[in-house]
Amino acid sequence: MKERTLDELLEDCTRCGRCREVCIVERLGGHSITSFLCGDENYSSWLCSSCWRCQEVCPQGVDIHTIMMLKRREQEPPPGYEANLVNVMSFGYALPMDDGVNELRRVHGLDAVQFMPAERVEILLQGDMVEKQEDR
Amino acid sequence: MERIALFPGCLVLQRMPQYEKATKEVLNAIGIQSESIPRAACCGAPLESFTDRWLRFAAYNLSLAERMGLDVVTLCGNCTNTLLRANVALEDPSLRREVNEVLSKMGLRYDGKTTVQHLVQLLTERLDELRARMTRQLSLRVAVTHPCQAFRPHEVTCFDDPLEPQAMRQIVALTGAEVVDYVAEHDCCGSTLYLVDKELGLEAGRRKLASVAGADVLVDACGNCHLLLERFRGFLGNSERGSKLVVLTLPQLLGLAMDIDAADLGISAASGRAIAEAVA
């Protein structure tokens, strides 16, 4: 698949502002990727509720999600996202999974879960990620 | 009995066995047996902001379900969206080849044979079966909050109206409950926002709950929504204290209408009492 660069993805945008109108972050007083699309540099690519409303209403069909993901890789992540990343890379889940999880499941009458073995996480992460990003 | 592979996702797995249990009870009642996927991992969503490796995690989970010969049913909007987009992305032969090279080291293979559906979508296809199992009419006023990412982007989910989904309203109506409108019905709960900016996330939740005033029950169908709107209610401020609104997951409400014991649905004693009072 030919991946489009940030500039190519932005070519479709006419700065009509429809995305910003429906953005809950903007309504709450924050500035999301939709501000960036409207030409405003005061925004954070991380400030997003992941509701996908902006992309759904875009009359040009701009791939706002991918634009945001590319901008995120240039901007410092918030601690919450970083913690989830570290968790997934360490043991395969966004949140810590221990025996307590299965104990709680037992209390609720659920079967015990077989967790993902650590060596499988390593296999899935094989390869140099930084290099991959620079490939873009 | 028909079988599906249930993918609860990290949040529900770690913190909300009640949601998963209620789902299994309700699906069982309509003749669907849900099985856990052994050694399943995170769907991959938290990786996407950093690396393209997210696709491998999604493909890994889908390949496990594929080996079981089962379709996947999700409980969380974010997992749904991620796994569905992975299925689309992996239609590309070169990406699929790359992913399969990695999966082959674990004796696995992704062939794109497993479909992914959010619980709401599955239930929408089983309205007749659900209706037949409703043994108790719930005289409640119920507001619904929709799992955003199970409906958007529409080109991937191909389900319901993407901006004003109706599926959950239709399902809830089967219980005999009155489905009430409220201003913030189609607004995001704020849960993912909380991860970046706690105050903005809580403000989204606050506005949602304030707008729901007048309903007995707010029903959600996503681990993220349930986290912010139910588990974090204590952080939502004074206006929320003393409110009698009960926040339930969709299968918990359906289970009540099927006369399944509240304890088996993971409904707390306090919530059970509040519902009993509202019904009386």
Side-chain angles (χ1 to χ4, degrees), chain A residues 1-3 24-25 27-30 44 46-53 55-57 65 69 72-73 77-82 84-85 88-89 92-97 101 104-105 108-117 120-121 123-129 132-133 136, chain B residues 10-11 13-15 17-18 20-21 24 36-42 46-54 56-57 60 64 67 81 85 89 92 94-95 98 102-103 105-106 108 148-149 151-155 162-163 186-188 190 192-193 195-197 200 203-204 207 266:
Chain A
M1 183 165 60
K2 170 89 178 70
E3 284 179 11
I24 190 163
V25 171
R27 256 194 291 150
L28 293 170
S44 165
W46 296 93
L47 217 42
C48 172
S49 74
S50 306
C51 78
W52 288 77
R53 203 164 269 273
Q55 188 155 331
E56 200 66 48
V57 300
H65 176 78
M69 290 299 143
R72 280 184 177 183
R73 293 177 194 185
Y81 266 87
E82 204 156 26
N84 284 354
L85 169 77
V88 176
M89 289 179 64
Y93 300 93
L95 300 166
M97 299 292 168
V101 171
L104 192 61
R105 291 178 68 82
H108 285 277
L110 289 168
D111 58 331
V113 168
Q114 287 184 51
F115 294 115
M116 183 196 208
R120 293 195 168 191
V121 182
I123 293 172
L124 290 178
L125 292 173
Q126 271 171 8
D128 189 338
M129 289 188 207
K132 179 77 181 174
Q133 282 179 46
R136 290 178 178 277
Chain B
C10 300
L11 189 53
L13 182 60
Q14 199 223 29
R15 298 193 191 189
Q18 300 90 343
E20 185 177 337
K21 179 66 174 6
K24 288 192 165 181
S36 297
I37 308 172
R39 293 174 286 278
C42 165
L47 294 177
E48 193 181 1
S49 301
F50 302 90
T51 161
D52 294 339
R53 295 291 185 280
W54 72 272
R56 294 185 181 176
F57 274 75
Y60 167 73
L64 291 174
R67 195 170 57 178
N81 178 293
R85 284 189 297 115
D92 178 78
S94 64
L95 269 182
E98 189 196 314
V102 177
L103 295 180
K105 294 171 189 165
M106 296 174 264
L108 292 167
C148 306
Q149 299 186 73
F151 301 95
R152 296 186 288 272
H154 184 73
E155 59 178 350
L163 295 175
H186 297 289
D187 287 351
C188 171
T192 306
L193 203 48
L195 206 56
V196 187
D197 184 322
L200 274 193
E203 184 56 24
R207 290 187 185 192

Side-chain angles (χ1 to χ4, degrees), chain B residues 18-92:
Chain B
Q18 300 90 343
Y19 181 16
E20 185 177 337
K21 179 66 174 6
T23 298
K24 288 192 165 181
E25 291 280 347
V26 164
L27 290 183
N28 190 57
I30 58 168
I32 301 173
Q33 186 184 325
S34 16
E35 301 202 1
S36 297
I37 308 172
R39 293 174 286 278
C42 165
C43 66
L47 294 177
E48 193 181 1
S49 301
F50 302 90
T51 161
D52 294 339
R53 295 291 185 280
W54 72 272
L55 200 52
R56 294 185 181 176
F57 274 75
Y60 167 73
N61 289 306
L62 293 168
S63 74
L64 291 174
E66 205 168 302
R67 195 170 57 178
M68 294 164 80
L70 301 178
D71 286 328
V72 169
V73 173
T74 50
L75 298 179
C76 181
N78 201 358
C79 305
T80 315
N81 178 293
T82 302
L83 295 175
L84 279 171
R85 284 189 297 115
N87 260 344
V88 173
L90 290 167
E91 285 170 11
D92 178 78

Side-chain angles (χ1 to χ4, degrees), chain B residues 222-239:
Chain B
C222 170
N224 287 294
C225 301
H226 203 63
L227 182 72
L228 196 101
L229 299 172
E230 202 262 349
R231 300 288 167 89
F232 286 2
R233 264 180 95 180
F235 303 136
L236 292 177
N238 290 332
S239 61

Side-chain angles (χ1 to χ4, degrees), chain B residues 261-274:
Chain B
D261 195 88
D264 288 333
L265 298 166
I267 296 173
S268 71
S271 293
R273 275 195 302 275

